[in-house]
Structure formats: structure tokens, C-alpha cells
Amino acid sequence: MKKLAIILTILFLMLVAIYFLIFKPEKYPEKDLYDSILEKGVIKVGINTDSKPFGFFNEKWEIQGYDADLARYIAQYILKSPNAVEFYPVTPANRMLKVSTGEVDIVIATMTINKQRQEIIDFSVPYDAAGQALLVRSNSKITSLADLAGQNVGVIFGTTAEKNMLNLAPTANIIGFRNYRTAYQALKAGKIDALTSDDTILSRFVYEDKSVKLLPKRYTKEPYGIAFRKGKTTKRLKENIDFAIQDMQRKNVILRLRRKWLHA
Ligand code: GLU
């Protein structure tokens, strides 16, 4: 009896395998994302809301910043209106999930293109670049990575800096924060001795507050890309967004965004 059950199970599994081999059924018919965006007339963009000058709320609770302007330009390019954007707050820790599950169509959030992430999601061509830097209090004795041994160093969960620190300063005490605001408060209060992330993001603190400084050295190269869900359904959207970025580069839009937001 037992033998018969095993034989029947094997037969059943073989039939299933043959069915899949012959018919190659699609998991579920998926619509091209570019087409559905054109149909809906709006693009859903995941953006940081705690990352001035890239994505943040102004006094009127509107999302502003470099990445927000980029999103509006893309909406203009694809949908012929800079307002055809819906912003959804994401954090460095949840943005890959939000784009892979389709909760948002794309993520524009100072996101570094790297091999590890490319296993899970796709990226546009780079639109800008940063480098990992260290922010310390102005009176700090820390001048380089070597001084971080035994010190408390803040990182934001989910960032490249969080991963890099394990190699860059293995003897430092790494302390994770959910957002830049709380990490910065901890630095000011002396709870951490340094905060590390992209220079483009950390510069804003120095710009607004002279009691902190950015050390001159950059430890990595962080090319920024727009993130997409992986797969064929996002291919045309990615092509069109790549065109939009190239168009912005040609027309010096990126240069103007850098001047406007990064004082570059
Ligand atoms: N560029 C870094 C990364 O992709 C930092 C981005 C951020 O803090 O949003 O991890």
C-alpha cells in the first residue's frame, strides 16, 4: 500500500513537471508597469522624508528636495506633467521591499547602485554620486578611521555605510538608527562620537550647524540610481527613465539640481 502511494506520488510529480516543461505557464499574467503608469496617469515614487536636501517635508508638509525634483522631472518626461507623482515615504531599511512588492513603482532615495542590491532589484543609469564620509563634533579629536577604535559610531539601518563599517572600522561600536534626525541628535548629545553616511547627506548638517564638521576623506564611491522591481514588467519603464536621466544630463538639469540643493 505504502509502495503504491510512493509510486503514485512520483507519477503525479512527474506529470506536473512535464506540464510545466511543455506549457511553461506564467506564474500570473503581469502587466507592463510602464503601460499601467500611462493608463493611471501617475507614478508612485518611494522617497526618503528625513534626508534633507534630497527628500524632506517643508513647513507646509509637502515633500521637497533634489530627489523630489527628479521625480517631478521624470513625471513630466513620461506623463507630461510634473505633478503626476504620488510620493510614498520609504526608509533605507524598507525601500527594497517596497519596490520589489510593487507598493511603489520606483524608489528615488539617494540609493547607491551596487552588486549586492542588483541581485534583488534593478537600477537606472546613475544620476549622481556621493562618497561615504564621517561627521563629528567640531571639537572632536577624531581625524580618521583609525581613531574610531572603541568609539561609538552611528549608522542608519539599511545603508551601505552600515555594511561598510564592518570592514572599515571593525573595532568601533556600531550603533544603528532608524533615521538621520535621531542619529544627529545622538551625535550632538555625545551619545555617539561620529555619524557616517554619504557626504551629500551629511553636508547639510554642517551647512546648518557649525558645531559639527565633516572630515575630508571619502571612503567609498556611491553612484545613485533609481530603483525598480526586477523583471520584464519594469524593462520599458527603466528604459524610459534612463532616457529621462540622460535628457536631464544633456540639458544641465542635474547641474542645476546640484546647485539648487547641494550648493555645488
Ligand atoms: N547611498 C546610501 C545607500 O544607498 C545612503 C542612502 C540613504 O541614507 O538614504 O545606502
Side-chain angles (χ1 to χ4, degrees):
M1 215 40 209
K2 223 177 174 187
K3 235 183 188 172
L4 186 68
I6 295 174
I7 291 171
L8 283 177
T9 314
I10 293 174
L11 260 175
F12 173 74
L13 290 176
M14 275 167 72
L15 279 176
V16 171
I18 290 167
Y19 170 81
F20 273 90
L21 276 175
I22 296 176
F23 298 108
K24 295 195 182 80
E26 295 226 357
K27 264 187 278 151
Y28 38 90
E30 281 183 294
K31 210 175 157 141
D32 184 85
L33 188 56
Y34 185 63
D35 284 340
S36 38
I37 289 169
L38 292 186
E39 241 168 60
K40 284 183 299 177
V42 68
I43 182 161
K44 292 189 201 168
V45 177
I47 192 163
N48 284 328
T49 53
D50 158 63
S51 190
K52 205 174 170 183
F54 288 95
F56 62 99
F57 286 110
N58 66 12
E59 319 75 56
K60 291 189 234 145
W61 285 98
E62 296 155 340
I63 303 229
Q64 271 207 332
Y66 182 136
D67 283 340
D69 279 356
L70 203 68
R72 291 196 181 96
Y73 189 94
I74 286 169
Q76 168 67 41
Y77 191 88
I78 293 178
L79 295 161
K80 311 289 168 241
S81 162
N83 300 320
V85 185
E86 272 171 18
F87 287 117
Y88 292 81
V90 297
T91 64
N94 71 18
R95 56 193 172 187
M96 297 239 273
L97 191 71
K98 297 235 173 193
V99 78
S100 339
T101 55
E103 209 174 301
V104 295
D105 298 326
I106 56 173
V107 165
I108 311 184
T110 55
M111 203 166 170
T112 300
I113 305 169
N114 67 26
K115 287 243 160 60
Q116 245 176 344
R117 290 175 176 170
Q118 277 167 326
E119 306 261 309
I120 304 165
I121 53 170
D122 279 335
F123 282 103
S124 67
V125 293
Y127 63 88
D128 211 316
Q132 189 182 336
L134 284 171
L135 184 77
V136 295
R137 289 181 293 279
S138 294
N139 58 5
S140 171
K141 298 240 159 33
I142 296 171
T143 59
S144 73
L145 283 179
D147 300 328
L148 296 182
Q151 301 288 300
N152 293 335
V153 182
V155 294
I156 309 299
F157 287 126
T159 58
T160 44
E162 181 192 12
K163 287 229 161 65
N164 296 339
M165 280 320 271
L166 300 174
N167 294 323
L168 291 174
T171 50
N173 306 322
I174 308 299
I175 300 180
F177 291 87
R178 292 244 287 272
N179 55 48
Y180 284 95
R181 186 178 50 81
T182 48
Y184 181 63
Q185 280 164 358
L187 179 69
K188 297 273 287 176
K191 291 186 184 137
I192 54 173
D193 305 294
L195 171 60
T196 182
S197 186
D198 296 354
D199 52 357
T200 44
I201 299 172
L202 297 178
S203 303
R204 151 259 175 145
F205 294 113
V206 183
Y207 195 75
E208 290 176 353
D209 176 358
K210 295 293 169 242
S211 75
V212 291
K213 64 181 177 191
L214 202 61
L215 299 183
K217 184 120 172 96
R218 301 294 173 263
Y219 302 100
T220 59
K221 285 209 170 71
E222 310 278 334
Y224 287 167
I226 295 175
F228 306 86
R229 175 179 178 179
K230 231 179 174 20
K232 335 195 250 300
T233 53
T234 55
K235 214 166 158 257
R236 281 175 60 227
L237 179 63
K238 175 180 146 47
E239 273 164 16
N240 279 280
I241 288 187
D242 282 347
F243 285 142
I245 294 174
Q246 281 147 6
D247 188 60
M248 279 185 265
Q249 277 156 348
R250 246 192 329 269
K251 294 183 179 151
N252 286 334
V253 177
I254 297 284
L255 205 75
R256 284 202 295 277
L257 288 182
R258 296 197 110 242
R259 284 212 190 108
K260 175 176 172 190
W261 295 110
L262 307 181
H263 311 283

